[in-house]
Amino acid sequence: MRIKQIGVVLAAAAVFASPATPALAASRIVPLDLATGQQPENIALEPGGSADLTFAYTGEIGRVTPGGRVSVIARIPVPADGDVPVVHQKLFLGGIVRAPGGDLYVAVSTGTAATGLYRVRPGTAPVQMAALPPAGFQNGVARDPATGDLFVADSFGSTIWRVSRGRVTAFATGELLAPVNGFGANGIKVHAGAVWVSNLDRGTLVRFPLTGGPGRVVATGLGPVDDFAFHGGTVIAAINQENRVVAVDRNGTHPILSTSDGLANPTAIAVRDDAVYVTDGAYFGGSPNLLQATLAANTCSAEFDGSVTTTTSLPAASGTEVANTRHGVAG
C-alpha cells in the first residue's frame, strides 16, 4: 500500500480570521494531491477519528488519520473499456459507508458489468456484492442501521436502488430523482424513518418513507446540492459548483463555509458530534482537500426533520425555475 505523508496539518493556525458566519468555531485543512488523482468524492468516518475517502477516478480508497497522514487502503480495478455515463471516465467511485464491523461499501460506476456496490475490507481485495445497471451513474450510498439494507442513488437512472442481503430492487424511481441536464439523485441518507435524497440539477431535497409510499420535496432552491448530512434535526449540505456549505432548517438556508475557508467544489459532508467534515474534489479549479470545522450551537434555530409535510411543484424538464424560488423549506 502506498502511504503518503501530507505535510504539516493546519491546526490552530488554520482558524480563519473572517469565517463565513459565526456558526464555525474553528477549521483546518488537510491538503490532497491533485497530481495523483486524489479528488475526494465521498467520506465515511472511522471510530478512531480517521476519515475514509473515495477518490473519484483512480479506483483508490484513501484513509486520512487525525494527524493528517493519507494512505491508500484499497483499490478497485479500473476497466480498460470503462466509459461512465455523463463524465466519460473509465471509472467513478461515488458514495462510501461504513458498517459497524468495519466493512466499507462503495458505489462504483464503469459503464460495464463491473458497475455495482462493492464491499471493501482493508487488506483484502474489494468484492462486487451487488451488480447495478452499467447505464446508470451510481452516486451516494446510505445504510439503514436498523436492517443493514444499503441504498444507492443513481444520478442518471432516476432511481434509488435498495440492496438487501445481496438482492437488488428499485426502492424509488421517477421525476423527483431525475436529472435535468446532467445529475439527478446524488447524496442520500437514512434519517428519521425515511430515505432522504438530494437532486443536484433541481436543487431539491426529497424524502421517501422507509415504509413505502410516494416521496415528496421538502426543500427547494438549494442550488447544485451534492451530498449532505444531519446535525440533529438540521441538514448540512454541500453546494458543489457554488463552493458553499450551508445549514438548512425550517427558516431557510444559513451559510457556514465558502471559498474563503478553502472550499473547492465540496462533494460530501460527514458530521460527528459538533465536527463537520467536508471533502473538496476541485473538479472545476482550486485544490482538493479534506476540511474539518466545528459547528457552534447556533448553527440553526429551527429543526428540519421528518415532521415536514409541505411539498412543492417540480421544475419543468427544460430546467426552468420552480414557482416557489425562495431558499429553504418548500411551502
Side-chain angles (χ1 to χ4, degrees):
M1 296 183 189
R2 177 168 58 89
I3 298 177
K4 182 172 183 179
Q5 184 70 36
I6 301 294
V8 177
V9 179
L10 304 181
V15 178
F16 295 94
S18 300
T21 75
L24 288 172
S27 59
R28 69 171 191 167
I29 291 174
V30 177
L32 298 170
D33 189 353
L34 181 61
T36 60
Q38 291 184 346
Q39 292 179 276
E41 174 61 26
N42 210 259
I43 182 172
L45 300 180
E46 292 285 337
S50 294
D52 298 328
L53 312 178
T54 52
F55 294 137
Y57 303 128
T58 66
E60 295 179 337
I61 298 163
R63 178 167 290 170
V64 183
T65 68
R69 188 178 70 174
V70 180
S71 64
V72 174
I73 61 171
R75 290 182 178 86
I76 293 172
V78 179
D81 59 344
D83 184 11
V84 180
V86 185
V87 298
H88 298 295
Q89 299 279 341
K90 291 184 177 181
L91 174 144
F92 175 81
L93 292 191
I96 182 171
V97 294
R98 184 186 186 278
D103 286 352
L104 301 171
Y105 294 91
V106 179
V108 179
S109 297
T110 65
T112 73
T115 297
L117 188 66
Y118 283 65
R119 183 180 67 241
V120 176
R121 290 174 177 165
T124 66
V127 175
Q128 185 190 40
M129 49 88 65
L132 295 172
F137 190 97
Q138 313 308 330
N139 208 325
V141 179
R143 181 180 180 276
D144 182 352
T147 64
D149 289 353
L150 297 157
F151 297 86
V152 183
D154 188 334
S155 296
F156 197 54
S158 309
T159 301
I160 298 171
W161 301 107
R162 185 177 202 158
V163 181
S164 180
R165 297 177 177 85
R167 181 170 177 261
V168 178
T169 57
F171 173 76
T173 62
E175 192 82 358
L176 293 174
L177 305 170
V180 177
N181 300 309
F183 300 94
N186 201 312
I188 184 168
K189 294 291 186 292
V190 175
H191 174 78
V195 176
W196 301 64
V197 186
S198 60
N199 187 314
L200 187 142
D201 276 0
R202 299 171 187 266
T204 54
L205 187 65
V206 186
R207 182 183 185 275
F208 294 89
L210 276 167
T211 53
R216 62 179 183 270
V217 175
V218 293
T220 61
L222 298 176
V225 56
D226 200 315
D227 191 36
F228 62 95
F230 285 88
H231 180 241
T234 297
V235 172
I236 309 296
I239 314 301
N240 188 304
Q241 291 96 318
E242 295 179 1
N243 296 316
R244 296 186 293 126
V245 170
V246 300
V248 185
D249 67 11
R250 290 189 176 190
N251 294 328
T253 60
H254 311 267
I256 295 178
L257 293 162
S258 68
T259 51
S260 65
D261 300 295
L263 293 186
N265 307 130
T267 55
I269 302 287
V271 174
R272 175 173 289 158
D273 299 325
D274 289 330
V276 59
Y277 299 77
V278 183
T279 53
D280 285 287
Y283 294 133
F284 308 109
S287 299
N289 64 69
L290 172 64
L291 185 150
Q292 180 182 346
T294 302
L295 294 168
N298 65 339
T299 300
C300 281
S301 58
E303 284 200 352
F304 184 76
D305 58 19
S307 65
V308 176
T309 57
T310 54
T311 61
T312 188
S313 58
L314 285 169
S318 63
T320 55
E321 294 292 325
V322 290
N324 176 9
T325 57
R326 68 186 176 88
H327 292 281
V329 177

